[in-house]
């Protein structure tokens, strides 16, 4: 278990595992105790669900260490009683105050499947439509170079997904709004019964079918095969090494020099595996922000949907007011079947007209309230979404700048190594 904690402490979202500050996300301030169910009187950020634990601004990551320590393959029966093999992930949590006091208690732990992470994220997307919810790592291996397996059960892929799931939890737990959601706390601390708590919120009913229909996953259709080309270049050096070694066997005077040059080429060719594994780490970070693009689009689509509902409510209100005017004056301004029947069979009785006018007045009052509600909903969504997008932009700029700088440094180091190999080979040739 300790290895998982050490990995978590070395790794930070959006950057290579070189920093030990991930658990605090560079946040300062006093530790707060973890809230309990007694806080249920507080309302959610969207005012619809009682799911906020503590005041906004005090993130869960300042009160709790979170780690996805390991993955385990299991077998069992699915919903249709068929045998299946799946992977579960061990989540470990530990209160931050115990760590600050120098104590080192055993972490609380529970197992979760990938589908449960998906359920948590879907809940967050629906409950907080104005927030750019962090993405999950890919469920199936995509865009991998040919040395890596695309098998979902491959140990290397499972390990990369474990790191990605931990990164997801750390991003959510450091978010000023999402981190204080009680469902998230249940997910991290309650092994059984948390799904029932999620479904009791009624979040599925809020997921508009039109919005779901638009949620097509963004995919790159023709990914660049830079890794494959780079792999090929390095393996050419392996061929050089083999040729030089075989050549040295038939040469007497040049044999030592050729053999030494061959060793340098072999060493250079063998280094590509480690280099591409490191490049895969940077590729995972870029894939994360590729997935973030879909999260941004979801926030924009929710605004478009709210704007559409506002326009429909406004049009319906205008139509009701026009009907009231026509009924009150007896003058039909637009062609309608109702106008034709009035001309053919005469006007309605006064009692009928009064009853219809009264009903229209009630509908107009309801329509005006609906328009006001939809207007406020649109304005609040824009205001909250703008705040979160600004937060996301700062995070994105920082993460990508750090990742790309580290990638450039790695490339420079790789090129220097190539220059050194050919310089050594040149010296071997000059000695012949």
């Amino acid at each position: 278990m300790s290895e998982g904690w050490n990995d978590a402490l070395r790794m930070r979202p959006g950057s290579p595992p070189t920093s030990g500050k991930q658990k605090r996300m560079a946040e300062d301030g006093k530790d707060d105790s973890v809230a309990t169910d007694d806080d249920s009187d507080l309302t959610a950020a969207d005012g619809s669900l009682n799911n906020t634990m503590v005041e906004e601004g005090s993130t869960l990551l300042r009160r709790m260490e979170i780690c996805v320590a390991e993955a385990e393959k299991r077998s069992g029966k699915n919903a249709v009683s068929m045998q299946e093999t799946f992977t579960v992930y061990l989540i470990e949590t530990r209160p931050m105050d115990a760590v600050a006091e120098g104590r080192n208690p055993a972490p609380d732990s529970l197992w979760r499947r990938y589908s449960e992470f998906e359920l948590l994220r879907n809940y967050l997307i629906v409950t907080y439509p104005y927030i750019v919810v962090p993405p999950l790592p890919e469920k199936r291996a995509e865009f991998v170079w040919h040395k890596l397996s695309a098998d979902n059960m491959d140990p290397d892929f499972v390990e990369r997904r474990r790191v990605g799931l931990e990164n997801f939890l750390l991003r959510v737990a450091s978010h000023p709004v999402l981190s204080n959601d009680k469902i998230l706390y249940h997910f991290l601390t309650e092994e059984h019964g948390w799904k029932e708590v999620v479904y009791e919120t009624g979040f599925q009913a809020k997921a508009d079918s039109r919005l779901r229909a638009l949620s097509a996953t963004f995919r790159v259709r023709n990914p660049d095969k830079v890794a494959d080309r780079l792999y090929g270049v390095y393996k050419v050096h392996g061929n050089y090494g083999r040729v030089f070694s075989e050549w040295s066997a038939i040469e007497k005077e040049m044999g030592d020099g050729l053999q030494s040059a061959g060793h340098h080429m072999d060493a250079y060719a063998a280094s590509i595996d480690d280099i591409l594994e490191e490049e895969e780490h940077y590729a995972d970070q870029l894939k994360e922000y590729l997935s973030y693009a879909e999260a941004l689009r979801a926030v924009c689509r929710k605004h478009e949907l709210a704007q559409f509902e506002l326009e429909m409510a406004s049009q319906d209100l205008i139509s009701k007011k026009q009907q009231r005017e026509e009924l009150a004056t007896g003058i039909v301004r637009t062609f309608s079947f109702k106008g034709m029947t009035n001309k053919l069979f005469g006007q309605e009785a006064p009692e009928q007209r009064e009853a219809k006018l009264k009903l229209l007045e009630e509908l107009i009052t309801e329509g005006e309230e609906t328009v006001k509600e939809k207007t406020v909903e649109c304005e609040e969504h824009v205001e909250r979404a703008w705040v979160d997008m600004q937060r996301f932009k700062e995070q994105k700029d920082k993460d990508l700048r750090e990742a790309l700088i580290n990638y450039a440094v790695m490339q420079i180091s790789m090129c220097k190594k190539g220059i050194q190999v050919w310089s050594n080979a040149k010296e071997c040739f000059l000695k012949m």
Side-chain angles (χ1 to χ4, degrees), residues 236-251:
V236 166
H237 287 75
N239 293 334
Y240 290 154
R242 179 175 55 81
V243 170
F244 288 152
S245 296
E246 293 177 357
W247 189 3
S248 67
I250 59 175
E251 293 286 350

Side-chain angles (χ1 to χ4, degrees), residues 1 5 65 91-95 98-99 103-109:
M1 302 297 178
W5 280 103
E65 283 190 346
I91 300 176
E92 294 183 346
T93 57
R94 187 158 45 191
V99 178
R103 295 183 285 116
N104 191 29
D108 296 322
S109 61

Side-chain angles (χ1 to χ4, degrees), residues 215-284:
S215 297
T217 304
F218 179 72
R219 298 290 185 194
V220 174
R221 299 301 179 188
N222 298 300
D224 192 9
K225 299 296 184 181
V226 175
D228 286 333
R229 293 200 298 270
L230 185 63
Y231 182 80
V233 170
Y234 271 70
K235 287 310 175 185
V236 166
H237 287 75
N239 293 334
Y240 290 154
R242 179 175 55 81
V243 170
F244 288 152
S245 296
E246 293 177 357
W247 189 3
S248 67
I250 59 175
E251 293 286 350
K252 293 183 179 180
E253 295 181 1
M254 299 189 302
D256 292 340
L258 288 170
Q259 190 170 24
S260 296
H263 288 325
H264 290 304
M265 294 296 173
D266 287 337
Y268 187 57
S271 67
I272 186 59
D273 293 333
D274 292 335
I275 290 172
L276 287 182
E277 283 182 10
E278 189 172 353
E279 282 200 346
E280 195 70 23
H281 169 76
Y282 294 111
D284 285 341

Side-chain angles (χ1 to χ4, degrees), residues 32-43 50-55 60 63-64 179-183 185-186 189-190 197:
D32 299 307
S33 60
V34 177
T36 64
D37 289 341
D38 295 336
D39 298 307
S40 58
D41 292 337
L42 297 172
T43 57
N50 295 328
N51 59 355
T52 303
M53 293 201 309
V54 294
E55 68 278 5
L60 181 62
R63 308 186 302 276
M64 176 187 290
S179 65
N180 290 315
D181 190 281
K182 295 180 76 173
I183 298 300
Y185 186 70
H186 281 297
T189 59
E190 303 291 336
V197 176

Side-chain angles (χ1 to χ4, degrees), residues 321-335:
K321 288 182 176 180
Q322 183 177 337
Q323 291 178 37
R324 180 183 63 181
E325 182 183 354
E326 292 175 353
L327 195 59
T329 61
I331 301 175
V332 179
R333 298 182 181 277
T334 58
F335 175 81

Side-chain angles (χ1 to χ4, degrees), residues 27-33 55 57-59 62-63 96:
E27 293 182 276
D28 298 319
K30 63 181 181 180
D31 293 338
D32 299 307
S33 60
E55 68 278 5
S58 176
T59 65
R62 289 163 58 181
R63 308 186 302 276
M96 193 68 77

Side-chain angles (χ1 to χ4, degrees), residues 183-215:
I183 298 300
L184 171 64
Y185 186 70
H186 281 297
F187 177 86
L188 294 171
T189 59
E190 303 291 336
E191 184 158 14
H192 304 289
W194 88 273
K195 286 185 180 180
E196 288 74 11
V197 176
V198 176
Y199 292 129
E200 285 174 3
T201 63
F203 86 97
Q204 289 179 307
K206 294 178 64 180
D208 190 278
S209 59
R210 286 168 294 175
L211 190 61
R212 289 201 303 269
L214 292 173
S215 297

